[in-house]
Amino acid sequence: MSSQPSDPLAAVDALLAAVEAGHLLPAPAERVRLREAAGLTQAAVAQALGVRIPSIQAWEEGRAEPKPERLQAYRRLLEGLAQRYPAPPRPHTLSPNPSPNPDATAPQAFAPAEPEQPTAPSRRPARKRSTAHIAAAPYRHGPLAVLDGDGSAYGVDGIVLDCPATTVVELVEWTLQESGLGAPRLNRNGKDSDPLIVLTASAAVKLGLPERLEGREERRSLRLAEDHPVVKQIGAAKWQLTQRGFGPWARVYRKAQGSARQCVQLAVLSWDALDTRSWPGVADMDPADIARVLGVYAQRVITPRGSTAVSGLELMTALRPPTRAVQENGTWVSGHNPGSLGSDQMDPAPPEAIAEHPVVVNSGWTGGFLNEEAYQWVRDPALLSDEECLLPYAVGLDLNTAFLAAAARLTVGLSAPDHFHRPVFNKKIPGSWLADLSHIDLDPRLPSPFTPDGTRPTGPAWYQTHTLAYAQELGHDVHPVEAYLRRETGAYLDPWHDRLKAAYVDTLADLGVTADLTDAGFLAAMEVHQQTDPAMAAVLAAVKATVKGGIGKLRERPQGRTYRDGDPWPAMQRPTWRPDIRAAVISKARANMHRKLTNMVKLTGLFPLAVLSDCVVYPSPGPSPLDFLPYAESGKPLMGGFRLGPTPGLAKLEGVREMSWAVDLMEKGLNPARHIKGGDAVLDDGE
């Protein structure tokens, strides 16, 4: 049936009237530009307008428009921003050439209009696209495709393209010239995502690649030898590989021409490109389902660029590009993008580094290091009461993406550290402080908030700002004797937090776990959510791994058998090697956990048995969190303690065991929080 209006003339008159009255909103891209120019996050706009973050995202992507009760307020905001931040004229020429290495961060200028690309032939008609914001021209076929051995490239939304390539070089050229794959930038000052081609085992073999990395050197280095025929073919065709070579995640590129990048990313499934811990079951799915999983992840997070840890770090840069176009003497040039980490590597302060770092080795630093790590604490079994031991159950609660919750509205340093002696503590200044907290005496039935193992400090130590601020919150004086502080600060992780939070909440909603459920309904939905849709369950696992891995990458350690202390390593030479930011996230997360533990004592009188990162185990009279969590007489959960729910920072059930089981582990010096789910939980320490 036709979807045309029954009276086109009336519809046109209504549209003209809306234009005349000024009721229409700017184009979606302009809405994004205005908000970002003002330094506003989607969360801030959502809060002001009384809507959820996904609503702002939908408005900015053109997938939806505000309802009448929000339209006027949103239009007023945009009009006010447009007066303050008029659109700059587009330059006629581009300044500095981007770096030839796609892994390096190049100065960004305003991009010219994208050239038209020929339409790729389709093996069968594709469904009408529902993710228009991803498939916008020239990326009409989405961000990626999964290629099988028959030459079928499976994209998002059921699209299947014919790929005639029989070599890697032909595949790269087809991808750039005909496929219509790729994704637009996440920030107007950033760069578009390179197209991703995922190779099944049969596709890899067809292209001349081994089904698996079999040679001893190949297995050790996780890449093809330089004399492999495919590597030689790539060089002979004047294409290049990054320094990582041709491994499970390979980038094939040529030097950019103007602003047009010539880069394709390849992922080889049979070389374990998709780690089973981050992408459970995905590598064994059929190509169409793999494309669905990776496509949803690309839509909600970023086009995968390697492991989820790599993607998490790349997402930070994509949302906060280091440079932007600025005008100098009438000419557009690349300049620093305020709020970003910049494009230059920055040395940490000695206590923020690790023992292998050149800053430490070359200076002979012996003053100690930050020890801001996740909790690994078990209560002394001698402190268990008879009443606790007689309770039948031990119930584990897990905080949803605790590190992501800690990243919200987190002020971090953006400039190099400055050294101070006898500073006055200021909780608003991010940095590292040397202070003595050993005099603070707290209830031994709770972990100390100042150490990862929960023991009382024994003398002066280095602490991140949030740890000392929490000591003040508990009513104790703080007198640092030394500090490394940063003068330029900002909420660098805000857009990263907002995007990943929305991805987490939206994916849980796809699995039937929504914010409108009762606590009992939430627990019931969580019991079955992973069986509801294995593809979306895999996306959820990948989102969580992106959070943890992205934070861990901020302090990536040197690797390789030949490394020697004091030598620089690749990870530490990037602007995003920022162990102080990692410490800030974990410090805040640990303080958040201790605050909830303390409030639970006030609300319920219950003390925890053990804590492992974001998991806490409580003795309980029943097998459900509903049996011990605090609720008002009205049935509403009391604020301050642990609360159930699907958003970051709220809790879900981790596992239930008999109390005698937990006590037995505690007496053996083992942590019940590590084992309550079954098996041996991995410490969620951000690395």
Side-chain angles (χ1 to χ4, degrees):
M1 293 180 62
S2 173
S3 60
Q4 294 180 352
S6 57
D7 189 351
L9 291 178
V12 169
D13 289 341
L15 187 61
L16 291 174
V19 173
E20 182 69 22
H23 290 164
L24 297 185
L25 296 172
E30 177 66 2
R31 304 172 198 178
V32 176
R33 185 194 73 80
L34 291 171
R35 176 178 57 76
E36 291 180 346
L40 297 174
T41 65
Q42 291 177 330
V45 176
Q47 184 176 9
L49 297 177
V51 298
R52 297 174 60 243
I53 294 175
S55 296
I56 303 298
Q57 293 173 329
W59 300 349
E60 292 187 350
E61 293 166 354
R63 294 183 287 114
E65 294 296 313
K67 294 182 179 179
E69 61 267 23
R70 297 286 186 272
L71 177 61
Q72 184 175 358
Y74 188 46
R75 183 164 52 83
R76 181 174 179 179
L77 171 65
L78 296 177
E79 289 175 349
L81 294 179
Q83 294 177 359
R84 293 172 173 81
Y85 306 101
R90 294 181 66 87
H92 296 291
T93 59
L94 292 172
S95 57
N97 287 330
S99 164
N101 184 351
D103 287 336
T105 302
Q108 297 295 311
F110 286 101
E114 299 287 354
E116 283 293 321
Q117 297 183 13
T119 302
S122 178
R123 208 159 72 94
R124 63 171 179 258
R127 296 199 311 261
K128 184 176 178 62
R129 306 193 53 75
S130 61
T131 52
H133 59 295
I134 272 189
Y139 307 126
R140 58 196 176 279
H141 293 146
L144 55 88
V146 180
L147 182 64
D148 68 12
D150 296 328
S152 297
Y154 294 82
V156 298
D157 288 348
I159 281 182
V160 183
L161 306 174
D162 278 334
C163 175
T166 58
T167 68
V168 169
V169 170
E170 290 177 355
L171 174 62
V172 169
E173 293 175 348
W174 172 83
T175 302
L176 292 174
Q177 297 170 12
E178 298 183 50
S179 72
L181 296 174
R185 62 201 67 186
L186 297 179
N187 182 289
R188 64 187 300 267
N189 297 309
K191 52 193 176 186
D192 295 353
S193 289
D194 299 319
L196 168 63
I197 302 293
V198 180
L199 304 178
T200 62
S202 58
V205 171
K206 178 181 178 181
L207 296 171
L209 298 168
E211 183 173 345
R212 296 196 173 274
L213 295 174
E214 296 176 339
R216 179 178 179 182
E217 181 61 26
E218 289 179 348
R219 291 198 307 270
R220 188 188 68 80
S221 63
L222 291 178
R223 64 183 184 184
L224 293 180
E226 293 184 2
D227 61 353
H228 190 279
V230 169
V231 176
K232 289 183 175 181
Q233 290 170 7
I234 291 171
K238 307 302 182 184
W239 290 95
Q240 300 179 58
L241 293 166
T242 63
Q243 292 182 352
R244 294 181 179 179
F246 204 120
W249 291 88
R251 290 178 186 238
V252 184
Y253 72 97
R254 282 179 180 157
K255 185 176 180 179
Q257 297 179 350
S259 69
R261 288 167 57 83
Q262 299 185 85
C263 181
V264 174
Q265 183 158 284
L266 305 175
V268 187
L269 290 176
S270 57
W271 296 3
D272 299 326
L274 298 180
D275 187 292
T276 55
R277 294 168 298 179
S278 303
W279 302 95
V282 177
D284 297 325
M285 295 179 179
D286 61 49
D289 286 335
I290 296 174
R292 179 187 173 214
V293 171
L294 298 181
V296 172
Y297 180 88
Q299 173 190 349
R300 295 179 179 176
V301 182
I302 194 172
T303 303
R305 302 183 181 186
S307 68
T308 48
V310 169
S311 297
L313 195 68
E314 292 278 345
L315 179 63
M316 296 180 194
T317 302
L319 294 168
R320 293 275 200 191
T323 58
R324 66 171 181 171
V326 297
Q327 219 171 10
E328 289 185 3
N329 301 321
T331 302
W332 289 99
V333 298
S334 291
H336 174 67
N337 186 23
S340 76
L341 297 182
S343 54
D344 297 325
Q345 176 263 339
M346 184 186 301
D347 282 338
E352 297 168 347
I354 55 179
E356 306 95 318
H357 198 284
V359 162
V360 174
V361 175
N362 296 338
S363 67
W365 173 262
T366 58
F369 300 97
L370 280 174
N371 189 25
E372 300 288 12
E373 301 295 338
Y375 266 134
Q376 294 190 73
W377 172 81
V378 180
R379 199 203 311 179
D380 183 347
L383 298 176
L384 290 171
S385 68
D386 292 340
E387 291 79 4
E388 288 176 316
C389 292
L390 290 174
L391 289 172
Y393 295 102
V395 177
L397 294 176
D398 179 74
L399 294 182
N400 302 322
T401 56
F403 289 167
L404 184 62
R409 319 302 167 245
L410 176 69
T411 300
V412 301
L414 302 178
S415 56
D418 292 321
H419 193 195
F420 297 88
H421 291 281
R422 299 287 175 184
V424 175
F425 178 68
N426 186 333
K427 67 180 182 180
K428 295 183 179 181
I429 301 178
S432 304
W433 312 74
L434 181 62
D436 190 348
L437 304 180
S438 61
H439 63 284
I440 300 178
D441 187 20
L442 299 173
D443 194 314
R445 291 173 293 179
L446 290 176
S448 167
F450 311 128
T451 60
D453 63 3
T455 59
R456 183 172 175 172
T458 57
W462 288 95
Y463 299 101
Q464 201 277 333
T465 298
H466 280 89
T467 301
L468 290 192
Y470 188 60
Q472 274 192 340
E473 181 182 323
L474 294 175
H476 303 283
D477 291 334
V478 175
H479 301 288
V481 297
E482 191 178 349
Y484 286 90
L485 309 176
R486 287 170 166 80
R487 299 180 187 275
E488 184 182 345
T489 65
Y492 171 71
L493 292 175
D494 260 13
W496 186 81
H497 162 271
D498 293 349
R499 187 166 178 85
L500 285 170
K501 177 183 177 181
Y504 181 80
V505 171
D506 290 348
T507 307
L508 264 181
D510 288 339
L511 294 168
V513 185
T514 56
D516 58 352
L517 294 173
T518 64
D519 282 1
F522 167 75
L523 291 173
M526 287 298 294
E527 280 189 20
V528 300
H529 79 283
Q530 292 190 348
Q531 290 76 46
T532 301
D533 185 338
M536 289 300 99
V539 174
L540 184 67
V543 171
K544 293 190 289 187
T546 301
V547 173
K548 182 179 71 171
I551 296 299
K553 278 284 184 180
L554 294 170
R555 198 187 70 172
E556 185 176 358
R557 293 179 177 272
Q559 302 174 17
R561 295 178 298 177
T562 61
Y563 178 77
R564 296 293 180 269
D565 287 357
D567 292 341
W569 64 93
M572 60 152 280
Q573 296 174 305
R574 63 186 180 222
T576 48
W577 198 84
R578 291 294 303 272
D580 57 301
I581 297 180
R582 173 184 177 274
V585 172
I586 298 178
S587 169
K588 184 179 174 183
R590 201 176 65 240
N592 288 346
M593 172 65 81
H594 192 274
R595 188 180 295 109
K596 293 179 185 295
L597 297 174
T598 302
N599 288 336
M600 282 290 288
V601 175
K602 298 174 182 177
L603 294 170
T604 67
L606 289 176
F607 289 87
L609 302 176
V611 182
L612 181 75
S613 187
D614 50 10
C615 177
V616 56
V617 178
Y618 274 102
S620 172
S624 168
L626 301 176
D627 295 316
F628 67 91
L629 289 179
Y631 290 88
E633 291 184 2
S634 64
K636 292 185 178 180
L638 295 177
M639 303 296 290
F642 295 99
R643 293 189 297 135
L644 300 175
T647 57
L650 297 186
K652 60 181 180 292
L653 176 64
E654 179 73 357
V656 182
R657 303 292 288 267
E658 293 181 352
M659 182 64 179
S660 58
W661 168 88
V663 173
D664 183 55
L665 286 185
M666 295 168 69
E667 290 177 341
K668 294 177 180 178
L670 301 176
N671 192 326
R674 183 182 296 276
H675 305 282
I676 197 164
K677 190 175 183 179
D680 190 5
V682 177
L683 176 65
D684 190 5
D685 63 353
E687 287 200 270

